[in-house]
Amino acid sequence: MLRLVDACSGLPVAPVMHRSVVRIGVPVALPEGGEGLSDVRAMLVADVLTRVLELSGTIAYTGLICPDGTDERRAALQVRAAELGMHPAAAHGDERGVVGELGGPFAVRLSRSEEAPDEADGDVIRLGVADAHAADGVADRADDPLALRLALMTEPRTETLSLDPASVSVAHHTLLRWRHAVATWADSPSRPMPGPARDSIRDCLEDDLDLPGVLRTLHRLEHSGDAPAGALFETFAYVDRVLGLDLVRDVGRGPAPPRPLK
């Protein structure tokens, strides 16, 4: 069962999965003069939560809480979210307006690090997300924006994240390597996901959306040499439904591209 740590109480809570519809509120600052990477990180957390809920058959809607942002900046952030493979937000505006558009109260509201500590609010889970920063130009990878998505998943969401060119480059080469491997594994007969890897991935996702833990499991499985190719394909393809990295992109496109140099 999915357990999320409430930022107000510090305790794990699990009231989300029994709902047929989950509404998620995401406060965004929409800074003037460009996108805020902290906004992108918060939206990514909401997107991953949405994907986890959808795997269980739960409908999830996201609303952007941005009372001070202009329509132009809101639209630019939505475009950026689409480039990073995120579900589009169903509503945006001030908190009351977003709740009205979504048709009900939030079950989960992200809590940004710059916000003042808040009291627990009934059944609403306050999900903490720390700031993210990047050097100039690091966030712009026109060749593959999903490298930034992967880089944003490499640290726990409650810890401040600073991205430099090296970290995004590592993420980019990891994507190339995994896509090459998945395209190769797809040619082998399908096999069930390895039990230990399946259990580790499930435990990480259910334990407060531990995405770094999921990534570590994939790295271990990739280099273990124990699992059949068909099992590796099924595992990476399944996990990508949550990670949203388009790992199966090169399947069926003919010979896989050369493995990138490290």
Side-chain angles (χ1 to χ4, degrees), residues 35 80 83 134-145 148 168:
E35 73 176 20
R80 186 55 161 162
E83 291 175 349
D136 291 343
V138 166
D140 298 322
R141 286 206 65 109
D143 51 346
D144 195 342
L148 176 61
V168 179

Side-chain angles (χ1 to χ4, degrees), residues 15-191:
V16 175
M17 300 298 283
H18 72 277
R19 301 170 184 253
S20 58
V21 176
V22 170
R23 299 171 181 86
I24 305 167
V26 185
V28 292
L30 295 175
E32 189 172 0
E35 73 176 20
L37 194 58
S38 295
D39 287 347
V40 174
R41 189 185 199 188
M43 294 174 65
L44 175 59
V45 171
D47 181 67
V48 171
L49 176 58
T50 295
R51 291 167 176 267
V52 171
L53 291 169
E54 287 179 345
L55 281 178
S56 71
T58 299
I59 299 172
Y61 298 119
T62 298
L64 302 184
I65 304 169
C66 46
D68 300 324
T70 64
D71 287 342
E72 181 180 2
R73 277 186 264 167
R74 290 170 182 164
L77 187 61
Q78 291 278 46
V79 170
R80 186 55 161 162
E83 291 175 349
L84 298 179
M86 299 182 197
H87 290 64
H92 57 73
D94 61 53
E95 188 152 354
R96 179 176 295 181
V98 170
V99 169
E101 284 194 55
L102 295 184
F106 297 133
V108 179
R109 186 189 188 282
L110 273 63
S111 179
R112 299 283 296 277
S113 57
E114 69 269 18
E115 293 183 303
D118 203 348
E119 297 286 336
D121 184 14
D123 292 333
V124 179
I125 301 172
R126 301 282 177 161
L127 202 60
V129 182
D131 288 338
H133 310 283
D136 291 343
V138 166
D140 298 322
R141 286 206 65 109
D143 51 346
D144 195 342
L146 293 184
L148 176 61
R149 181 180 176 105
L150 176 56
L152 287 168
M153 296 178 181
T154 55
E155 296 293 336
R157 68 166 193 279
T158 54
E159 297 181 9
T160 300
L161 176 65
S162 295
L163 297 181
D164 56 21
S167 59
V168 179
S169 179
V170 167
H172 178 59
H173 283 282
T174 298
L175 281 183
L176 292 178
R177 189 179 72 250
W178 281 354
R179 287 169 179 163
H180 169 265
V182 168
T184 301
W185 297 332
D187 292 332
S188 298
S190 177
R191 294 288 186 272

Side-chain angles (χ1 to χ4, degrees), residues 201-221:
I201 291 166
R202 180 197 61 209
D203 292 345
C204 288
L205 291 176
E206 292 184 351
D207 185 14
D208 202 33
L209 299 179
D210 178 12
L211 297 182
V214 173
L215 295 177
R216 287 193 297 270
T217 299
L218 293 182
H219 282 292
R220 287 196 301 268
L221 185 62

